[in-house]
Amino acid sequence: MISLAQLDLNQKRVLIRVDLNVPLQNGKITNDARLKAIIPTLKFALNVHACVILMSHLGRPEEGVYTEALSLKPIAERLSILMNQPVRFVKDWLEGVEVKPGEIVLCENVRFNIGEKANDLSLSKKMAALCDIFVMDAFATAHRAEASTVGIAQYAPVAAAGLLLSAELTALEKALRDPKHPVVAVVGGAKVSDKCLLLGSLLDKVDTLIVGGGLANTFIAAQGYSVGGSLLEPTFIAEAIALLARAKNKGVQLIVPIDAVVAKTISETAETRISDLTDIATDEKILDVGPKTSQLIDAIIQRAGTIVWNGPLGVFELSSFENGTKRVVDAIANVSAFSLAGGGETLAAIEKYGVSEKISYISTGGGAFLEYLEGKTLPAVTMLEARSTLKAD
């Protein structure tokens, strides 16, 4: 790919696709991590006197229908504070945007435009006409072939990768293509059906694969244990059995919890107990890994050279069921291994326990992060690669 850093941006109209899809509550931003992540790219462009135009989506509005609750106007206000300079907000921008060198303009939500999600040809060309250089810096949407991620990159005079996108891909390649061994992956979350492709792909890349959270229940059942009233996907037990067998054949350690924290209800006041897998009652739910499992995971992480983490090991939002996740967070944060973490719940756990500075790289992507780990190609990245040698149509 062409990198932003390779280009002469002086006096050029640089349209940057960023990811400003931040959580809002009553019109107020509750987490601005994604805004902070794009600042290096913005400062780089401004320092060389570029005319900076930003575009992003927010939420999932109905195309063609303006929704004030999903307007990017409050994002422009917060970004102005973070950048220590005005970020001008433009509601109607498709027919042209006035912007001067050293200025930042933020365009209204791209998903208000009809044809955005379908990667409409005419919409893509209108977007491309706004700039001299298009920069894709929204890794979190790189897995979506939309007008503002792929279509515009096809028709812009020049299409390049931003600093954040490049950093994301570099971290992923370091963890998966040229890692320091042993490579350990920790995968949690609710459903094994959501992570089957991921687990299968990781078996080709890691030395040890640790499963936790609700998805581990299917592996526990696959080993012949009862999981009581726990979340379980019976139709995926055969898949879990196949993954266990494949791991054994490849010489990969596939670690399934050996004990659990159980309760009859999911609540802060629930009565809990630690149980071996042979002793889970029919009315009990597995809601966290037990201390023996945590001790086993700690020992594995201590020896790791590279760690990839996606998903909590229990219902960490409740203090009764957070110990397994907290211990894995602490373990990852306190080893010298290169650590890569991604996914919404994973980031929430990192924030809750205040260890963001101790994780080597925290991905801003959710779906894109998972799809890359699954071995899928990301359409926006593929287009940037194609544009590194091809001229615009």
Side-chain angles (χ1 to χ4, degrees):
M1 297 182 294
I2 298 172
S3 168
L4 171 72
Q6 296 174 269
L7 300 173
D8 176 12
L9 307 182
N10 183 34
Q11 311 287 314
K12 300 288 179 60
R13 294 175 300 153
V14 180
L15 178 54
I16 309 175
R17 175 51 160 108
V18 290
D19 181 17
L20 306 178
N21 188 32
V22 295
L24 292 170
Q25 192 168 9
N26 300 321
K28 302 293 183 183
I29 299 168
T30 58
N31 187 321
D32 62 2
R34 282 183 167 171
L35 305 190
K36 292 175 179 175
I38 66 168
I39 287 176
T41 293
L42 302 191
K43 287 188 173 180
F44 180 90
L46 292 173
N47 286 341
V48 291
H49 312 293
C51 312
V52 178
I53 307 168
L54 304 179
M55 62 178 182
S56 174
H57 74 285
L58 178 63
R60 297 179 179 179
E62 180 183 347
E63 288 189 358
V65 179
Y66 172 78
T67 306
E68 186 175 357
L70 294 178
S71 171
L72 288 174
K73 187 174 182 180
I75 313 298
E77 294 166 0
R78 176 68 68 89
L79 199 54
S80 296
I81 295 170
L82 293 174
M83 289 297 298
N84 196 30
Q85 77 169 74
V87 174
R88 181 159 54 88
F89 176 71
V90 179
K91 186 176 180 181
D92 299 310
W93 51 274
L94 264 182
E95 300 306 319
V97 177
E98 291 294 326
V99 57
K100 299 175 182 177
E103 186 180 16
I104 308 173
V105 170
L106 174 59
C107 302
E108 181 59 285
N109 194 337
V110 293
R111 288 188 178 170
F112 288 160
N113 298 305
I114 295 174
E116 161 63 12
K117 296 190 76 173
N119 193 19
D120 179 76
L121 176 68
S122 60
L123 179 61
S124 299
K125 288 185 173 181
K126 277 190 172 184
M127 290 177 174
L130 298 174
C131 65
D132 301 307
I133 297 168
F134 169 68
V135 176
M136 177 60 181
D137 210 29
F139 174 74
T141 59
H143 63 309
R144 301 188 187 280
E146 299 178 342
S148 68
T149 61
V150 170
I152 183 175
Q154 182 176 355
Y155 297 107
V158 178
L163 304 185
L164 176 60
L165 178 66
S166 296
E168 293 270 5
L169 296 173
T170 298
L172 284 160
E173 289 183 1
K174 183 174 181 178
L176 299 173
R177 296 189 180 178
D178 188 26
K180 181 180 179 182
H181 290 268
V183 182
V184 177
V186 181
V187 180
K191 295 182 178 181
V192 71
S193 56
D194 293 336
K195 303 284 179 81
C196 265
L197 284 175
L198 171 62
L199 296 171
S201 176
L202 287 174
L203 285 179
D204 294 327
K205 300 176 174 72
V206 304
D207 302 295
T208 302
L209 174 58
I210 299 166
V211 295
L215 68 86
N217 299 338
T218 303
F219 285 88
I220 292 171
Q223 293 177 323
Y225 298 106
S226 169
V227 296
S230 309
L231 175 67
L232 178 66
E233 295 179 281
T235 56
F236 280 85
I237 289 176
E239 182 73 26
I241 291 171
L243 287 168
L244 287 163
R246 186 172 155 210
K248 185 176 181 180
N249 290 337
K250 292 181 69 67
V252 175
Q253 268 191 308
L254 202 168
I255 303 297
V256 178
I258 55 177
D259 62 345
V261 177
V262 300
K264 293 182 180 180
T265 60
I266 306 174
S267 72
E268 196 68 78
T269 58
E271 184 177 339
T272 67
R273 72 181 185 90
I274 296 166
S275 174
D276 289 331
L277 300 184
T278 56
D279 189 32
I280 298 171
T282 56
D283 60 348
E284 289 181 320
K285 306 175 192 293
I286 299 172
L287 300 173
D288 193 12
V289 297
K292 293 178 183 177
T293 304
S294 288
Q295 188 174 10
L296 175 61
I297 293 171
D298 284 350
I300 292 168
I301 289 175
Q302 291 301 320
R303 299 191 298 269
T306 304
I307 302 164
V308 178
W309 175 33
N310 172 251
L313 301 189
V315 187
F316 74 98
E317 297 88 350
L318 302 179
S319 61
S320 299
F321 313 113
E322 71 170 340
N323 190 60
T325 300
K326 186 177 187 302
R327 282 188 64 168
V328 80
V329 169
D330 289 341
I332 293 172
N334 289 291
V335 293
S336 59
F338 176 79
S339 53
L340 171 65
E345 287 187 310
T346 310
L347 271 60
I350 290 170
E351 183 177 354
K352 180 176 181 178
Y353 301 119
V355 297
S356 59
E357 299 300 319
K358 295 184 177 181
I359 307 297
S360 304
Y361 195 85
I362 301 172
S363 176
T364 59
F369 178 78
L370 283 177
E371 291 199 15
Y372 191 99
L373 293 184
E374 289 169 357
K376 295 179 180 177
T377 58
L378 305 181
V381 173
T382 300
M383 178 55 71
L384 290 177
E385 290 170 344
R387 285 303 313 277
S388 70
T389 55
L390 299 177
K391 293 183 178 180
D393 290 351

